[in-house]
Amino acid sequence: MSGMPNYARVSDLPIAAQLYAQVASGEKPEKAQVFFDAAVLNKYREAGGYRIIRTNTSGRISKPGGWSLDFGISGEGDSILHIPVESLVHRIPEAEKSHWLAHLITLPVSANFLKGLIRPGCLDDGDIRTW
């Protein structure tokens, strides 16, 4: 993936605002979206035995007699795929998850904040100050 993808505020996309209101209320937290570099599909194109189909903004990968996964398509040049968290957990086979995780993308994050989520405790992150 080259460069930083364009992004939009959820509040500017009515359907996304509706979805994330349900996520935030606890009604459908499993519907929160995770994002992948579309190159994640290259492995399956090269391996054969998989079917990858699409419309303008949605797609599906399937292994006949095996598993399937529906995804959204976005980003400049269709460079980003997105799926709900529940699909990451329940639709992608365990043997394939490391491949998908290697293509997972995110907006810039605070590494120290994530460390604190994974291993709660005191982190030396500079002086406390107002903002």
Side-chain angles (χ1 to χ4, degrees):
M1 228 175 104
S2 62
M4 177 68 178
N6 291 330
Y7 65 91
R9 291 181 185 269
V10 168
S11 60
D12 293 337
L13 303 168
I15 194 67
Q18 181 181 349
L19 173 73
Y20 279 96
Q22 292 177 341
V23 169
S25 73
E27 184 182 341
K28 295 185 178 180
E30 70 281 1
K31 300 294 184 189
Q33 299 293 291
V34 290
F35 300 84
F36 300 87
D37 185 325
V40 70
L41 298 177
N42 292 345
K43 168 185 174 179
Y44 306 105
R45 287 186 186 104
E46 294 165 5
Y50 291 88
R51 183 169 186 221
I52 303 172
I53 58 173
R54 65 167 293 170
T55 64
N56 290 339
T57 61
S58 299
R60 172 178 286 164
I61 178 172
S62 59
K63 182 172 186 175
W67 59 281
S68 68
L69 176 70
D70 294 328
F71 52 83
I73 304 167
S74 63
E76 189 175 318
D78 297 341
S79 60
I80 299 172
L81 306 182
H82 59 94
I83 63 173
V85 169
E86 68 183 340
S87 291
L88 177 61
V89 174
H90 299 294
R91 302 291 301 167
I92 298 173
E94 285 299 320
E96 297 297 321
K97 282 186 183 176
S98 63
H99 172 71
W100 283 79
L101 291 173
H103 289 83
L104 187 65
I105 58 175
T106 183
L107 289 171
V109 297
S110 162
N112 274 343
F113 181 76
L114 296 181
K115 285 178 191 173
L117 290 175
I118 294 169
R119 293 186 313 265
C122 184
L123 292 170
D124 183 7
D125 194 33
D127 295 333
I128 296 174
R129 56 199 177 275
T130 58
W131 190 18

